[in-house]
Amino acid sequence: MGDTLSFHKRFWVTELICTILIATTILFKIQGLSLYLALSEVIAIGFFLNRFIYHGIYKRDYKFTQLSNRVFWILFSFGVYFLVLFSIRFMLHLPFMDSIWPIRGLVLGSCVFFIIDEFKPKVNQLLGGIIFLYTVLNIRELIDCLRSSSIRDLLFLGNINIYLYVCIMLITFSIWAIKESVYKRLPSWITPIAYVNVGMSLVFAFLSGGRLGWVVMGAVIVASFLLIFGGKWNSWKRILTFMISCSVVIVIAASVNFMQARPSLYRSFSVIVTRIPGLVKPAPETEEAKVSTADTSDKIREIFWAKAWTLIKENPVLGAGTFAVAYKQAIPSEYITAAQSAEIAKMQRPAHNFILETWMGWGIVGLILYVAGLFSTCYYILKRLVNIPKPLRICCVIPIVATAFLSLLQSFILLSFQATYIMWFCLGFASVADYYYKRGEIKNI
């Protein structure tokens, strides 16, 4: 009976984690304040009250593992620094409210790690949860396709780039699930579902016109296949078959101009195709498409970076005290439409670089602490969790590395709750994998 209850507890842990990740899209506005609270935060706050207050302080029956103890004290150190930083800003009458959003994602997102580390669900149960989450995301994006005229207009997670970003972090685990399915440790139907999900992400990446998205996604797919299945011919055959299948779908979509596929593909490959004599650029069908070009995007990003750096130089120690300030600056009219100018004037958006955003929001010390945290996480997984085979350790690190690389041009790693939560998932996944490999339960992980 006890084993049955234990199994169900571990199974529902995976469902809770999936719920938390999806609940990042549901926001509640707090009356009287221009402040939004995500449903995932409500769940996370409830978990912290239960674990740390009720079980940790009152009942005193919540015990940290070695890793979770280390994570707790790192977060505690972050908290002390933030309190000191905010106190100084408050006394100097400097802005600080906008800096709270990414702190909320960082601290409350850690509940995903603590849930996994405490209840230790089976690795394959977590993989099954990933496939479930991935499938839900793709179904939701397909539904949005029926209501939008362009892939770039899909807004389920905020915008299409956040969707692609999250998918890049799910790809490695999905390919890991394929291997477990091939070796009969997961149901055989997992394999086709995983392939379809990864394939849909790659197709969406190409059709969205995002250049860095499909480049990084393709690299993650190839690296994951080679690490998980080895570098033999069978692995390359899987990669080639998969890529050719996706290419056929992309060509068909472009031939019928599905959701403005042609202008988007031109945007992705403009650096190459503009050098081919006689190749005519497809005419954009909407005003939005006219300004959504690779060249325009690059020039606008340069403006934001320059303004962010100017703000940092004014106060490099404490930072600007706010996030997303660069995006509120004026943009030359030749780069955007009047409608976009009005939208930018009333909305805050990131400066498209997590280094600049962190420095602006948390000052130089906060930047050092944050970057050191990312590096130490990767180092700990690679060097300390030695019970996991090295290729699988690298697979746990790939999503974090890809996240940081992408966030040099987009600030998702810092400002997106979904990205922050999934990074905590990577650490928790590595923790339980190490636990089961250490116990020798390789055949039933």
Side-chain angles (χ1 to χ4, degrees), residues 26-46:
I26 304 173
L27 301 176
F28 303 102
K29 186 173 183 178
I30 300 178
Q31 295 297 329
L33 298 173
S34 57
L35 183 66
Y36 286 88
L37 187 69
L39 177 58
S40 61
E41 291 184 278
V42 177
I43 300 172
I45 291 171

Side-chain angles (χ1 to χ4, degrees), residues 155-186:
L155 301 176
F156 173 50
L157 295 179
N159 64 59
I160 185 63
N161 288 324
I162 296 179
Y163 159 79
L164 296 175
Y165 183 95
V166 171
C167 288
I168 287 174
M169 301 184 73
L170 298 176
I171 283 172
T172 299
F173 297 114
S174 298
I175 296 174
W176 196 339
I178 292 174
K179 180 179 180 180
E180 293 299 296
S181 177
V182 169
Y183 284 95
K184 310 300 181 183
R185 293 191 285 261
L186 280 175

Side-chain angles (χ1 to χ4, degrees), residues 330-346:
I331 302 172
S333 58
E334 65 265 26
Y335 295 140
I336 61 174
T337 63
Q340 287 177 314
S341 179
E343 179 186 10
I344 289 173
K346 63 181 181 181

Side-chain angles (χ1 to χ4, degrees), residues 152-336:
R152 295 187 66 81
D153 294 334
L154 302 182
L155 301 176
F156 173 50
L157 295 179
N159 64 59
I160 185 63
N161 288 324
I162 296 179
Y163 159 79
L164 296 175
Y165 183 95
V166 171
C167 288
I168 287 174
M169 301 184 73
L170 298 176
I171 283 172
T172 299
F173 297 114
S174 298
I175 296 174
W176 196 339
I178 292 174
K179 180 179 180 180
E180 293 299 296
S181 177
V182 169
Y183 284 95
K184 310 300 181 183
R185 293 191 285 261
L186 280 175
S188 58
W189 49 264
I190 288 289
T191 293
I193 292 179
Y195 272 119
V196 169
N197 279 313
V198 176
M200 286 179 62
S201 298
L202 189 58
V203 171
F204 273 127
F206 273 99
L207 299 185
S208 70
R211 295 156 294 168
L212 192 62
W214 63 262
V215 171
V216 175
M217 188 175 289
V220 169
I221 291 172
V222 173
S224 299
F225 268 115
L226 294 178
L227 284 168
I228 293 172
F229 287 97
K232 297 181 180 179
W233 166 241
N234 283 338
S235 296
W236 287 106
K237 186 167 63 175
R238 288 175 186 270
I239 294 170
L240 291 173
T241 302
F242 175 80
M243 293 298 183
I244 291 173
S245 301
C246 292
S247 298
V248 170
V249 175
I250 293 168
V251 169
I252 294 174
S255 65
V256 299
N257 201 25
F258 172 72
M259 299 189 72
Q260 299 186 26
R262 292 175 189 170
S264 294
L265 286 175
Y266 182 88
R267 185 182 191 277
S268 294
F269 295 98
S270 58
V271 175
I272 300 174
V273 297
T274 51
R275 290 171 171 76
I276 302 177
L279 188 62
V280 180
K281 174 183 177 180
E285 299 179 2
T286 66
E287 188 67 20
E288 176 72 21
K290 291 179 182 178
V291 297
S292 183
T293 64
D295 185 57
T296 298
S297 178
D298 292 341
K299 290 179 179 178
I300 293 176
R301 188 173 273 108
E302 290 173 5
I303 295 173
F304 297 152
W305 288 349
K307 183 59 182 180
W309 181 237
T310 298
L311 293 172
I312 288 171
K313 288 189 293 184
E314 291 176 359
N315 198 336
V317 178
L318 298 178
T322 183
F323 283 80
V325 291
Y327 220 131
K328 298 187 71 174
Q329 307 308 314
I331 302 172
S333 58
E334 65 265 26
Y335 295 140
I336 61 174

Side-chain angles (χ1 to χ4, degrees), residues 67 70 74 78 368-384 397 400 427:
L67 177 57
R70 180 189 298 263
I74 290 175
F78 263 79
I368 294 172
L369 289 174
Y370 188 74
V371 174
L374 292 178
F375 277 105
S376 62
T377 298
C378 294
Y379 177 85
Y380 190 91
I381 293 174
L382 291 175
K383 297 297 184 180
R384 302 295 296 275
V397 169
I400 300 176
L427 182 59

